[in-house]
């Protein structure tokens, strides 16, 4: 049989192996980590709640300021300014309405002018088509008699070529009309043709 000391040693050894394991240490570490996590969450919640309370205080202060009636003198001045602005706006609206009516009248007048111009243009086109064969004949006769081939017209310049079939020659001419009178320019062209 075992002695009491041996049994006690065996029992102590059993207890040491049971409670001296790494499972207890791991559980204690997990409990400490969980405790730290809860503390961090609590601190974050406190900060968030503190921010919400500050925002709510600002809203309450703004609501109180909006609900506080203004000073009667300040209120009367503000009402007077608003009435003055309203009258000025009414005058501006009336002025703008008058301008709009004037612009509409001008627009209508321009429409009528446009219609008249289009009618004149159509009439001119009809007249041109009617006189076109006669005009071509006249221009052809003029070109044949004068023997002039006109160059591109430039401002203040009369230019072209005159053919002389008898001498089998083509003469160019270029007259600056800014230095010549109308009469002198016409005479110079006749001199070139002759």
């Amino acid at each position: 049989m075992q002695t009491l000391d041996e049994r006690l040693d065996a029992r102590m050894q059993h207890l040491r192996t049971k409670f001296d394991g790494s499972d207890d240490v791991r559980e204690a570490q997990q409990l400490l980590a969980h405790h730290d996590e809860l503390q961090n969450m609590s601190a974050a919640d406190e900060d968030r709640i503190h921010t919400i309370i500050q925002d709510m205080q600002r809203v309450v202060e703004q609501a109180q300021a909006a609900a506080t009636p203004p000073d009667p003198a300040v209120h009367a001045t503000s009402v007077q300014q608003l009435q003055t602005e309203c009258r000025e706006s009414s005058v501006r609206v009336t002025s703008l309405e008058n301008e709009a009516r004037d612009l509409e009248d001008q627009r209508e007048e321009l429409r009528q002018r446009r219609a008249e111009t289009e009618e004149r243009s159509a009439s001119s086109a009809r007249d041109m088509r009617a006189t076109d064969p006669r005009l071509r004949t006249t221009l052809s006769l003029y070109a044949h008699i004068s023997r002039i081939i006109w160059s591109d017209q430039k401002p203040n310049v009369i230019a072209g070529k005159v053919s002389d079939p008898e001498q089998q020659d083509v003469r160019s001419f270029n007259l600056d009309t800014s230095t010549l009178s109308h009469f002198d320019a016409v005479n110079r062209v006749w001199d070139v043709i002759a």
Side-chain angles (χ1 to χ4, degrees):
M1 229 163 96
Q2 292 182 336
T3 65
L4 184 60
D5 283 336
E6 289 175 345
R7 282 194 304 187
L8 190 56
D9 281 341
R11 188 80 175 135
M12 286 301 288
Q13 182 63 29
H14 174 66
L15 286 173
R16 276 190 200 120
T17 56
K18 184 175 182 178
F19 292 108
D20 197 28
S22 62
D23 290 340
D24 290 336
V25 172
R26 189 174 34 249
E27 281 184 35
Q29 288 173 343
Q30 286 175 351
L31 283 174
L32 284 173
H34 186 64
H35 180 263
D36 289 343
E37 182 181 338
L38 288 176
Q39 276 186 328
N40 290 338
M41 287 173 54
S42 174
D45 285 345
E46 284 178 15
D47 289 343
R48 187 174 52 81
I49 289 171
H50 181 69
T51 303
I52 290 172
I53 289 172
Q54 285 178 339
D55 290 344
M56 289 176 73
Q57 283 176 337
R58 277 194 291 273
V59 169
V60 167
E61 289 170 0
Q62 290 172 352
Q64 285 176 340
T68 304
D71 180 23
V74 172
H75 179 70
T77 303
S78 176
V79 167
Q80 203 171 25
Q81 286 175 342
L82 289 173
Q83 288 173 342
T84 302
E85 288 176 12
C86 184
R87 283 191 297 272
E88 290 172 355
S89 295
S90 177
V91 168
R92 280 188 292 227
V93 165
T94 303
S95 173
L96 289 174
E97 287 173 346
N98 289 337
E99 284 182 36
R101 276 192 296 275
D102 290 344
L103 288 173
E104 187 59 37
D105 291 344
Q106 289 176 2
R107 186 173 162 186
E108 186 58 35
E109 182 181 336
L110 288 173
R111 281 186 193 141
Q112 289 174 357
R113 284 184 187 174
R114 179 178 159 198
E116 290 169 3
T117 303
E118 287 175 351
E119 178 58 34
R120 276 185 274 163
S121 175
S123 175
S124 294
R126 285 190 300 269
D127 290 346
M128 183 63 97
R129 283 192 297 271
T131 59
D132 192 32
R134 286 184 289 167
L135 183 62
R136 280 194 211 143
T137 304
T138 303
L139 287 175
S140 174
L141 184 60
Y142 172 74
H144 182 69
I145 291 171
S146 67
R147 303 177 318 263
I148 294 178
I149 301 169
W150 297 105
S151 297
D152 290 335
Q153 296 295 322
K154 297 177 187 166
N156 299 325
V157 174
I158 298 174
K161 296 179 183 171
V162 176
S163 64
D164 188 356
E166 292 175 7
Q167 295 183 6
Q168 297 180 349
D169 185 24
V170 175
R171 293 184 304 263
S172 296
F173 64 94
N174 191 353
L175 303 174
D176 184 2
T177 59
S178 63
T179 61
L180 298 172
S181 69
H182 183 71
F183 180 77
D184 290 336
V186 170
N187 283 336
R188 293 252 180 110
V189 170
W190 280 114
D191 289 342
V192 169
I193 294 172

